[in-house]
Amino acid sequence: TQLLEQSPQFLSIQEGENLTVYCNSSSVFSSLQWYRQEPGEGPVLLVTVVTGGEVKKLKRLTFQFGDARKDSSLHITAAQPGDTGLYLCAGESSGGSYIPTFGRGTSLIVHP
Amino acid sequence: KAGVTQTPRYLIKTRGQQVTLSCSPISGHRSVSWYQQTPGQGLQFLFEYFSETQRNKGNFPGRFSGRQFSNSRSEMNVSTLELGDSALYLCASSLPGSSEQYFGPGTRLTVT
């Protein structure tokens, strides 16, 4: 079973602060996705990274895929209350099933 | 394009009863997956249907079953409900050959 470990589990910060959350595994993934889930809703896809070392930016969010394709990070600059939510990473193995393995998520609260 | 829809949004059932949840995928998406989300276990994969056939299955007991219709709509059924089945049940659709999941808002099931 491939496991994705996310850290930290919980994060509570003030508006305007920067933060980084991590997604780590001992397995190699052919692609990795990040999702954000708000209370009472389903996860929403933010980004997919495919190439080792790849960096993608989505406004104030920066996503990086590790060189060995075993880990990823999400950095948020100048966090806003609207960034509050559960951030989930999901990795697709190279086995071809296209079913991603999800981490347990980082719960982020940004206080105004 | 309309997103993934799930009905009902909320459900309260008694132990021993059975329940059927419904999911309509994004138009053009032929793969539908079901997940169970709980605070303790996170997001766990139940099963995936493609072209009316179950293509992948997670590690859940046989009380959990599903089906897919010719229009790609899917249902999942849980029989002999247990208290531990209380969870958010999420349906996600995806394009062939992609692990990117597009989630519905979920059905919140409470078993009393």
Side-chain angles (χ1 to χ4, degrees), chain A residues 37 40-43 88 102, chain B residues 4 6 9 21-23 32-38 42-47 76 87-93 101-108:
Chain A
Q37 184 178 20
E41 298 296 329
L88 294 158
F102 281 83
Chain B
V4 176
Q6 291 187 246
R9 290 293 309 274
L21 313 181
S22 182
C23 170
V32 174
S33 296
W34 288 89
Y35 295 84
Q36 181 196 67
Q37 187 176 34
T38 59
L43 207 63
Q44 293 188 288
F45 172 73
L46 280 156
F47 30 66
M76 71 162 278
L88 181 66
Y89 289 88
L90 292 160
C91 165
S93 69
Q101 306 283 289
Y102 293 85
F103 286 89
T107 294
R108 171 70 63 183

Side-chain angles (χ1 to χ4, degrees), chain B residues 1-71:
Chain B
K1 242 184 203 180
V4 176
T5 59
Q6 291 187 246
T7 56
R9 290 293 309 274
Y10 303 94
L11 208 47
I12 300 176
K13 289 286 188 178
T14 305
R15 269 182 305 175
Q17 290 186 314
Q18 73 166 22
V19 67
T20 299
L21 313 181
S22 182
C23 170
S24 291
I26 292 172
S27 177
H29 287 194
R30 293 165 58 195
S31 171
V32 174
S33 296
W34 288 89
Y35 295 84
Q36 181 196 67
Q37 187 176 34
T38 59
Q41 298 297 320
L43 207 63
Q44 293 188 288
F45 172 73
L46 280 156
F47 30 66
E48 182 220 7
Y49 285 86
F50 180 80
S51 293
E52 302 178 64
T53 300
Q54 187 181 88
R55 190 163 66 172
N56 290 287
K57 188 177 188 306
N59 190 27
F60 276 82
R63 300 185 296 108
F64 292 82
S65 62
R67 58 177 176 168
Q68 186 180 34
F69 302 95
S70 58
N71 62 358

Side-chain angles (χ1 to χ4, degrees), chain A residues 32-82:
Chain A
L32 189 141
Q33 290 102 35
W34 285 91
Y35 296 81
R36 179 170 64 215
Q37 184 178 20
E38 297 185 14
E41 298 296 329
V44 174
L45 179 66
L46 296 174
V47 77
T48 296
V49 286
V50 178
T51 306
E54 182 177 5
V55 176
K56 281 192 173 179
K57 292 192 174 184
L58 185 66
K59 296 183 182 178
R60 294 175 294 99
L61 278 61
T62 302
F63 305 86
Q64 184 161 10
F65 202 12
D67 291 340
R69 290 185 288 130
K70 292 182 179 181
D71 53 82
S72 182
S73 64
L74 158 59
H75 181 79
I76 301 179
T77 303
Q80 298 177 2

